[in-house]
Amino acid sequence: ALSTEFRGLRYTSFFLADRAATPAAIRFVQDYRARFGAVPDHRAALSYDAAMLIGLAAREVGPDRRRIRDRIAEVGRGRPAYAGATGEIRFDETGDPVNKPVHIAEVAP
């Protein structure tokens, strides 16, 4: 039966619209609903944050891909963290995000 087929399966989400608490997250959810008539999922929120980081970096340093990449790598390390829809974004010295929350749930019948 479908109700037991996925029992115990774990899944992750990096953003839950119903738990939006920061001004940036609340604004993102409102704007997304107004534009698309739906609730955004974590893919929408992560994509939005990525596009914003890339766009802001490109506006600051120009169209050079290497300079854009280098500018983004400085977020939270020598440059202010970015207040995104998914929360504060900053990277460590290896390029990994720092302290990003993840929601993990388990399917139960």
Side-chain angles (χ1 to χ4, degrees), residues 4-71:
T4 61
E5 181 178 351
F6 297 106
R7 183 186 331 196
L9 177 77
R10 292 189 179 103
Y11 59 96
T12 60
S13 180
F14 299 93
F15 174 82
L16 297 172
D18 63 343
R19 294 189 186 179
T22 66
I26 293 166
R27 186 174 52 253
F28 170 73
V29 172
Q30 291 171 341
D31 291 349
Y32 190 96
R33 281 183 172 161
R35 170 91 164 128
F36 300 107
V39 177
D41 62 11
H42 68 227
R43 291 178 299 269
L46 289 167
S47 298
Y48 174 82
D49 283 348
M52 290 300 293
L53 280 171
I54 293 166
L56 290 170
R59 289 180 79 182
E60 189 172 314
V61 302
D64 183 277
R65 292 170 61 119
R66 183 176 303 263
R67 291 184 68 205
I68 291 169
R69 182 202 63 210
D70 291 346
R71 170 60 185 89

